[in-house]
Amino acid sequence: VVKPFAPEELAARLRVLLRSDTPAGDGPLLVSGALKINMATRKMTINGTPLELTGTEEALFYILARHSGWLVPHRRLVRAVWGIDSAEKVHDLQFHIARLRRKLGALGAKNLIRVEGRVGYIVTMIADDEYAVQ
């Protein structure tokens, strides 16, 4: 927020930030019939097979899954994983997402992460055969 600012504007911006980062429950989150993520331990399985991810891939997938069905912009992912909002990190983001999609595809979840143009990514929950976990 740039000075001078109205207290109402600050309060509105804080409400938006709090609303977008609502805490998830500690129980498992079913993104699709075959995908299970334990939100407390961050253990992920597809068709009962543990998903082996690097720390960065795990952080990205956890954020995307936590907001499944919603578009998560590139800027938000970069800021959440690397702590900065930098154009240089978008290439790193695309690299890690590509590796993550390959790993998911090897376990039968080929189209679980969708790219939405140059805006961001969505983890789908729909039962459409094109995007469903097999």
Side-chain angles (χ1 to χ4, degrees):
V1 180
V2 179
K3 291 182 184 179
F5 59 87
E8 296 82 17
E9 180 183 356
L10 178 62
R13 288 184 184 215
L14 288 172
R15 278 194 305 273
V16 168
L17 287 173
L18 290 172
R19 182 176 53 224
S20 64
D21 288 334
T22 55
D26 289 340
L29 169 69
L30 292 168
V31 174
S32 182
L35 173 66
K36 293 183 183 179
I37 301 173
N38 186 316
M39 300 304 271
T41 63
R42 291 193 179 188
K43 298 293 180 193
M44 304 174 203
T45 60
I46 294 180
N47 295 320
T49 305
L51 190 55
E52 301 294 329
L53 303 175
T54 66
T56 302
E57 292 165 349
E58 180 183 317
L60 287 170
F61 192 56
Y62 179 78
I63 293 165
L64 288 169
R66 191 166 172 246
H67 296 92
S68 60
W70 293 89
L71 174 68
V72 181
H74 293 133
R75 282 193 332 248
R76 182 179 179 116
L77 289 168
V78 167
R79 190 174 47 239
V81 173
W82 288 283
I84 57 173
D85 194 7
S86 172
E88 297 102 34
K89 289 295 182 183
V90 171
H91 177 71
D92 294 343
L93 172 66
Q94 292 169 341
F95 170 78
H96 288 289
I97 291 288
R99 285 186 55 185
L100 178 58
R101 292 176 85 191
R102 276 195 299 274
K103 289 180 180 182
L104 291 168
L107 294 175
K110 187 170 104 177
N111 294 317
L112 189 63
I113 299 175
R114 290 189 309 160
V115 179
E116 290 295 321
R118 295 182 179 191
V119 179
Y121 300 95
I122 296 176
V123 168
T124 58
M125 293 176 47
I126 58 176
D128 185 4
D129 289 337
E130 182 181 355
Y131 301 113
V133 177
Q134 300 170 358

